[in-house]
Amino acid sequence: MKLGLAHNDGDHADRKGENPQSRESLEAPPLYEANAPDLTTTLSNLDLSHSESMPTVDQCIAHLKLLEAFSQLREDVGTKDGLYGIFDEFVPAGSTQQGQAQILAKIREKRWSIYVTQATVRFEQYWQKCIQPGSRMLVQTDFQTPYYVDVAKHGEALRFTQDNLPPLDLLMVWHAFMLNPRDFFEDCIRYGKMDFWATGMPWQAINACINNETFEFTPSGAARQLFESTTGLAWDCLDGSAVMESKCPKCDNEVQLPWTTCNRKDSWVGSKAGEDGAGYADSSFRYYCISCQCRIDYDLLKTQKFRKDLLLLLMHNVPMPGTVLSLNGLPAKPTDNSGLLEILFPNRLIKDGLIAKLLDLTDVKQEPNASVESIKLQLEMALSNAPLIQWVNNASKAIQLHSEEKLSIRRMMSRYWDNCSPFSLELVGAVIRQGSFIEKMHSIDWIHSPAASYTMSRSLLKYDGYFSILKKYPDRLAVPTLDVDLAWHTHQLSPQSYYNFCQMRTGIFINHDDKIDENKLSDAFEWTSKTYQKLFNQVYSECACWYCEAIRESHTPAISRILKRSKVSLASDLPDLKDPHKAPHISTHNAIQPKVSTDNDTNEIAASVKKAELERSYRKVCQRSLKKGREPPPRDEYVYVDAWGLPLYMPNHAPYMSDPCITGGMYAANPSCANFTPGTAGNCCQGTCGGGGAAGGSGSSGGCGGSSGDGGGGGGGGGGGGGCGGGGGGGGC
């Protein structure tokens, strides 16, 4: 093994982790306290043995330590004046105080976005050079063998210690990758890295490297030396090259791509300040090769990624990305007597009918302006060719495409719309979207609470109830609160254990969809709150902010209050937790804004309806509070403070919204937006919409989408099918 990775015979021993207390033994609600500085007793005695089923209390606490280290890293990078040649003094002098603060926040966000882009490039090299290098990729003949059927059981955990852990920036990318469990599973299968899949986050080694008081991450000097000698990279991302070294796709000569061109003062003027750079980490990346004048941009890099996968399919029979797992996240099985797997249909279509056209189309010397959209058009023409479909499926007569064949096409294409990396998802956006959750964990500050162990035990208990909802309602989208989401995230960071738990409890592999329409998220949260309260007679979110109060009001009948059927239903019954940044609020790190065409105001209507519903419920909350002589939960006076220290006055703040601290125009792929407009780039091929259950279960028909493309299904275990760009329904937080 590279990087001194031996197979683990100790850290992940087959020991049962501690079980959360029974639901009946705990009184509701828990008190989420965050005001005590004493960490010594709790943090110095963590038992981080591997849990076969549920995560443990101590694993959740170790996770909080790691999240705090990530939070500090983000703060250090964003506030480092002059980093990447971007200075605080670029803030225009003539603007208002509020305007200057907004530009300063964007400057800090820009530094962080460049850093995250560098980190994902470094992780790619770590993946190739250090994690089972030279491993054999999956081939289509493997689908007929016991290896593929039982692939989740394969893999022997690698042993990580303080002497071979990677740097913190790579742990951050690995962390975000595993929190997209089906994508991580698919890539580990396809690239033959099942030992990495079986390893999970090495809590014992990581915990030993994080200081219990400062939360500084400090592995041994041996880890630094080993990483640098094996990868050829600097240990500290900030000590790396000032440019990205790559090769021109056309002439194969070395090129040096700037990370950003926003290192000039005039880049920070106007409403689009910092959003028009041409560097690799900028939204409008473009570079002309000095040798051949080839224009290198993200459209070209995405088509070249597709071409590499075409050649792997043609020369080595490696299946295309997105065609490895069934819609329920498990290894696929034939649904009829033909023996053909529906998920492999895109591979048959390409090899038997499109390979020559697609190779010509993606040859940069012949088609320098090709794009993923032009690849989509070729697929659409093939899908409308009935004789070709009959031929590739070895059918005796004309047939209609099976729903899973359609969704397999769309999932394959979702791997390319906004992604030029070798992975199934665009990792920069995955890391950025996790930033919201990380900052909320920092704000709530459970890590400094003397009751941290009790709080984590309560979180695990609620998480168990949350999974009961997923099992009972496989076709609904269930949304976690922050405490439940922490337990869920911790579980996903032990992929093999999480996979087995999902199989045992639900029969499918529950995904964790990190791109969901913010309005659907709020509706689903209301349903989840109502269902949890109905099943367990306990309040779901102990948060007492106006939004959570309005949600509780919407589903708590007056008769229940009179008869006191619910243990908690009023703000007066809850701890004084009116700030959602200090309470177990709805978890919204995956909320995104749908991008729709200008003549389609469906989303605006949905947002208006949701606002009106919340307004009615909030008025009722205020009336009841005044009758009881209590102050209503504040709303209009509410001030949101983002991660960069900028106070944003938001009188109509909806805490379920997508992260307002993400400036989408700074990124090559907007982390907080997905395209749901039919027929546009980032959406499904004509002929593949409809007629398929969601990835999580028995959801509604598949639809168009523009993000992850996993056929929907995730945290909620169901929902609508995702589109070619994914993003459709389904998925939890």
Side-chain angles (χ1 to χ4, degrees):
M1 287 294 161
K2 293 290 186 180
L3 278 188
L5 294 180
H7 286 109
N8 190 348
D9 57 3
D11 288 353
H12 284 191
D14 293 339
R15 293 170 52 187
K16 294 286 184 182
E18 59 190 284
N19 292 321
Q21 301 176 48
S22 66
R23 183 173 304 279
E24 292 74 21
S25 67
L26 291 173
E27 293 297 326
L31 296 177
Y32 292 94
E33 299 176 338
N35 55 4
D38 185 10
L39 305 172
T40 306
T41 303
T42 301
L43 301 185
S44 299
N45 299 289
L46 299 182
D47 177 7
L48 297 169
S49 302
H50 182 54
S51 173
E52 277 298 295
S53 54
M54 290 279 286
T56 67
V57 165
D58 285 353
Q59 285 174 342
C60 291
I61 294 175
H63 191 189
L64 284 174
K65 286 180 63 177
L66 182 60
L67 295 178
E68 184 62 23
F70 292 159
S71 177
Q72 293 186 10
L73 175 66
R74 187 183 191 220
E75 182 71 16
D76 291 343
V77 170
T79 58
K80 189 176 180 63
D81 193 19
L83 184 61
Y84 306 118
I86 303 174
F87 294 88
D88 291 351
E89 65 183 29
F90 287 173
V91 175
S95 55
T96 65
Q97 182 177 359
Q98 176 74 358
Q100 289 179 344
Q102 289 175 339
I103 298 297
L104 181 58
K106 293 182 72 173
I107 284 175
R108 294 175 176 178
E109 181 189 358
K110 184 62 182 180
R111 294 178 188 135
W112 178 243
S113 71
I114 298 169
Y115 183 90
V116 171
T117 303
Q118 286 184 308
T120 60
V121 173
R122 283 159 53 86
F123 181 80
E124 180 180 331
Q125 297 182 56
Y126 180 74
W127 169 275
Q128 294 170 350
K129 296 179 180 179
C130 305
I131 303 300
Q132 298 178 254
S135 55
R136 183 181 75 85
M137 294 188 72
L138 182 76
V139 296
Q140 291 194 70
T141 53
D142 290 331
F143 285 72
Q144 309 300 327
T145 67
Y147 169 81
Y148 172 74
V149 175
D150 297 322
V151 69
K153 299 178 183 178
H154 293 287
E156 194 172 344
L158 304 173
R159 182 177 176 82
F160 281 93
T161 69
Q162 290 174 269
D163 294 332
N164 64 2
L165 280 174
L168 186 60
D169 62 310
L170 300 195
L171 286 177
M172 177 179 65
V173 178
W174 182 15
H175 173 271
F177 198 178
M178 286 194 287
L179 294 182
N180 290 268
R182 291 192 185 177
D183 291 323
F184 185 68
F185 188 31
E186 174 186 311
D187 284 345
C188 286
I189 295 173
R190 188 167 175 269
Y191 285 101
K193 298 183 185 292
M194 293 306 293
D195 288 351
F196 198 44
W197 150 264
T199 302
M201 194 60 75
W203 292 122
Q204 197 160 9
I206 289 174
N207 180 64
C209 293
I210 299 178
N211 186 282
N212 288 336
E213 295 181 1
T214 66
F215 300 101
E216 183 178 357
F217 176 76
T218 311
S220 69
R224 177 190 294 263
Q225 294 174 6
L226 190 58
F227 175 81
E228 292 182 342
S229 63
T230 307
T231 64
L233 301 171
W235 172 262
D236 190 334
C237 182
L238 297 181
D239 293 334
S241 175
V243 295
M244 178 181 169
E245 298 179 355
S246 186
K247 288 190 175 183
C248 173
K250 184 175 181 180
C251 68
D252 206 38
N253 284 333
E254 297 286 341
V255 292
Q256 294 187 331
L257 311 175
W259 290 109
T260 185
T261 61
C262 290
N263 49 7
R264 305 183 312 274
K265 193 167 185 176
D266 59 6
S267 298
W268 297 94
V269 178
S271 60
K272 298 293 184 181
E275 299 182 37
D276 194 31
Y280 187 79
D282 296 330
S283 60
S284 302
F285 165 57
R286 56 193 179 277
Y287 179 87
Y288 291 90
C289 174
I290 297 175
S291 301
C292 68
Q293 295 302 305
C294 174
R295 175 185 166 114
I296 304 172
D297 56 21
Y298 276 120
D299 279 340
L300 177 60
L301 295 182
K302 287 182 284 189
T303 58
Q304 292 311 295
K305 172 189 176 179
F306 187 86
R307 181 179 178 84
K308 290 177 183 177
D309 291 332
L310 282 180
L311 292 173
L312 284 172
L313 173 64
L314 178 63
M315 300 174 65
H316 303 289
N317 206 27
V318 175
M320 298 291 286
T323 68
V324 173
L325 298 171
S326 66
L327 296 185
N328 58 18
L330 308 177
K333 298 178 181 179
T335 58
D336 55 35
N337 296 327
S338 68
L340 297 176
L341 291 176
E342 283 82 3
I343 62 167
L344 292 177
F345 169 73
N347 302 284
R348 297 193 296 271
L349 179 64
I350 290 171
K351 287 189 74 172
D352 294 346
L354 286 175
I355 190 67
K357 291 180 180 179
L358 290 176
L359 285 174
D360 287 343
L361 178 63
T362 56
D363 186 344
V364 66
K365 295 179 180 179
Q366 297 184 45
E367 297 288 346
N369 298 318
S371 66
V372 179
E373 175 69 16
S374 56
I375 295 171
K376 168 193 164 185
L377 293 175
Q378 287 292 330
L379 288 169
E380 287 180 345
M381 287 189 287
L383 291 170
S384 65
N385 187 336
L388 177 60
I389 301 301
Q390 182 179 344
W391 167 259
V392 300
N393 277 337
N394 196 27
S396 58
K397 59 181 180 180
I399 58 173
Q400 288 188 334
L401 285 178
H402 189 276
S403 60
E404 192 153 350
E405 291 175 325
K406 298 177 184 179
L407 285 169
S408 191
I409 285 281
R410 290 150 57 188
R411 288 197 300 175
M412 177 188 73
M413 288 302 296
S414 75
R415 277 38 177 180
Y416 303 99
W417 283 120
D418 291 320
N419 183 15
C420 64
S421 79
F423 304 110
S424 292
L425 77 161
E426 197 269 318
L427 286 174
V428 172
V431 173
I432 295 298
R433 284 187 295 276
Q434 285 302 319
S436 173
F437 181 80
I438 291 169
E439 288 310 306
K440 286 171 182 174
M441 290 297 101
H442 171 75
S443 296
I444 292 177
D445 205 24
W446 283 325
I447 193 64
H448 286 99
S449 171
S453 294
Y454 177 74
T455 301
M456 296 304 101
S457 181
R458 288 287 316 190
S459 297
L460 291 169
L461 187 65
K462 285 182 65 179
Y463 172 59
D464 186 71
Y466 174 78
F467 241 85
S468 297
I469 293 175
L470 299 185
K471 179 180 180 180
K472 188 176 180 67
Y473 302 98
D475 60 340
R476 296 300 299 264
L477 167 59
V479 178
T481 50
L482 288 169
D483 49 349
V484 171
D485 215 11
L486 174 64
W488 193 13
H489 286 198
T490 305
H491 206 177
Q492 291 170 67
L493 296 175
S494 297
Q496 198 170 53
S497 173
Y498 177 67
Y499 179 94
N500 293 334
F501 180 81
C502 289
Q503 277 269 66
M504 177 182 67
R505 290 288 295 270
T506 68
I508 62 176
F509 187 24
I510 300 292
N511 202 22
H512 180 261
D513 190 348
D514 75 346
K515 269 195 173 186
I516 301 177
D517 179 345
E518 60 187 14
N519 292 310
K520 292 181 180 179
L521 196 73
S522 185
D523 290 338
F525 180 66
E526 179 178 343
W527 176 84
T528 308
S529 299
K530 179 180 180 180
T531 303
Y532 188 94
Q533 189 166 316
K534 177 181 178 182
L535 290 177
F536 305 116
N537 196 32
Q538 293 180 1
V539 70
Y540 186 51
S541 170
E542 290 84 3
C543 178
C545 76
W546 76 266
Y547 171 73
C548 289
E549 283 279 56
I551 290 294
R552 275 190 293 276
E553 175 68 28
S554 69
H555 64 69
T556 304
I559 189 65
S560 294
R561 298 193 191 92
I562 295 172
L563 300 178
K564 298 293 184 181
R565 289 178 180 172
S566 177
K567 291 186 178 180
V568 180
S569 63
L570 308 177
S572 57
D573 299 321
L574 295 169
D576 187 18
L577 295 173
K578 293 182 172 61
D579 183 348
H581 298 285
K582 300 291 184 182
H585 183 64
I586 175 179
S587 186
T588 60
H589 66 86
N590 60 344
I592 54 94
Q593 294 180 343
K595 180 180 180 181
V596 297
S597 60
T598 55
D599 59 347
N600 186 342
D601 59 355
T602 302
N603 190 63
E604 292 184 6
I605 294 174
S608 298
V609 170
K610 172 53 59 179
K611 182 178 179 180
E613 291 174 351
L614 289 173
E615 182 66 31
R616 286 193 296 271
S617 296
Y618 177 67
R619 284 200 297 267
K620 292 181 181 179
V621 170
C622 293
Q623 291 170 2
R624 288 196 298 106
S625 297
L626 292 173
K627 285 182 179 179
K628 296 176 71 70
R630 298 183 181 276
E631 183 181 350
R635 182 185 59 171
D636 290 344
E637 296 80 10
Y638 186 77
V639 176
Y640 178 91
V641 181
D642 79 355
W644 309 116
L646 171 68
L648 299 178
Y649 181 67
M650 302 182 69
N652 291 316
H653 175 60
Y656 62 86
M657 292 194 314
S658 60
D659 188 352
C661 304
I662 296 177
T663 306
M666 285 187 179
Y667 304 86
N670 187 343
S672 61
C673 183
N675 199 335
F676 291 90
T677 306
T680 60
N683 253 299
C684 55
C685 300
Q686 183 176 348
T688 64
C689 283
S698 55
S700 60
S701 298
C704 298
S707 55
S708 65
D710 226 353
C724 194
C733 213

